[in-house]
Amino acid sequence: MALMIRFMKTMWHGSKPIFSWVAVMMMLNAFLPLALLSHVEARVVLGVFVVSAMGMMALFHVFGFTRITGLGHTLWVVLVPWLISRLDLSDGITPFQAWMLATVAVNGVSVVIDAWDVVRYVRGDRAPTLPTVE
């Protein structure tokens, strides 16, 4: 529990753009799926969020908040195309479909950012991206 609190404190003490981005991702991947649990897509997104969060906390524990933390979103490489394959916009956009589209867009952008961060880490950019807050 202490690790999760340190991880969250570190994220929330980042810059306003980072804080805002993380808040949007949490809303789409953790909170809104709770209201949509009757849909398999929401249950899958929530499950992937939990597994990804555990992975990111493990990476944070070992490496601090560095660019390698982006590996925690590896499952999103599969999740995003799967969500796209589940979209059916033939009857217009319902609130559920709007959530799916927003989740695909935000998670898709995040995957690109994370992939670039991991490449930068592998190339030697290992400085913390956020200072750890105790």
Side-chain angles (χ1 to χ4, degrees), residues 70 73-77 80 106-116:
H73 290 147
T74 301
L75 290 176
W76 289 5
V77 172
V80 170
V106 169
N107 290 2
V109 169
S110 187
V111 165
V112 171
I113 292 167
D114 291 336
W116 179 239

Side-chain angles (χ1 to χ4, degrees), residues 3 7 52-74 118:
L3 175 63
F7 180 78
S52 296
M54 290 187 312
M56 290 183 81
M57 282 185 263
L59 290 163
F60 171 74
H61 179 69
V62 174
F63 300 101
F65 212 100
T66 60
R67 297 187 184 285
I68 200 69
T69 309
L71 278 178
H73 290 147
T74 301
V118 170

Side-chain angles (χ1 to χ4, degrees), residues 46-124:
L46 186 59
V48 167
F49 170 79
V50 170
V51 171
S52 296
M54 290 187 312
M56 290 183 81
M57 282 185 263
L59 290 163
F60 171 74
H61 179 69
V62 174
F63 300 101
F65 212 100
T66 60
R67 297 187 184 285
I68 200 69
T69 309
L71 278 178
H73 290 147
T74 301
L75 290 176
W76 289 5
V77 172
V78 176
L79 177 67
V80 170
W82 181 76
L83 285 175
I84 292 169
S85 77
R86 307 284 295 183
L87 274 169
D88 178 8
L89 304 177
S90 59
D91 294 329
I93 298 177
T94 66
F96 171 71
Q97 291 162 323
W99 165 76
M100 281 183 62
L101 286 168
T103 302
V104 163
V106 169
N107 290 2
V109 169
S110 187
V111 165
V112 171
I113 292 167
D114 291 336
W116 179 239
D117 276 348
V118 170
V119 166
R120 288 178 64 182
Y121 183 88
V122 169
R123 289 184 175 170

Side-chain angles (χ1 to χ4, degrees), residues 10 12-13 27 39 45 52 55 64 70 73 104 113 119 125 132 134:
T10 298
W12 298 127
H13 283 89
M27 182 62 67
H39 298 274
V45 167
S52 296
H73 290 147
V104 163
I113 292 167
V119 166
D125 184 355
T132 300
E134 296 298 328

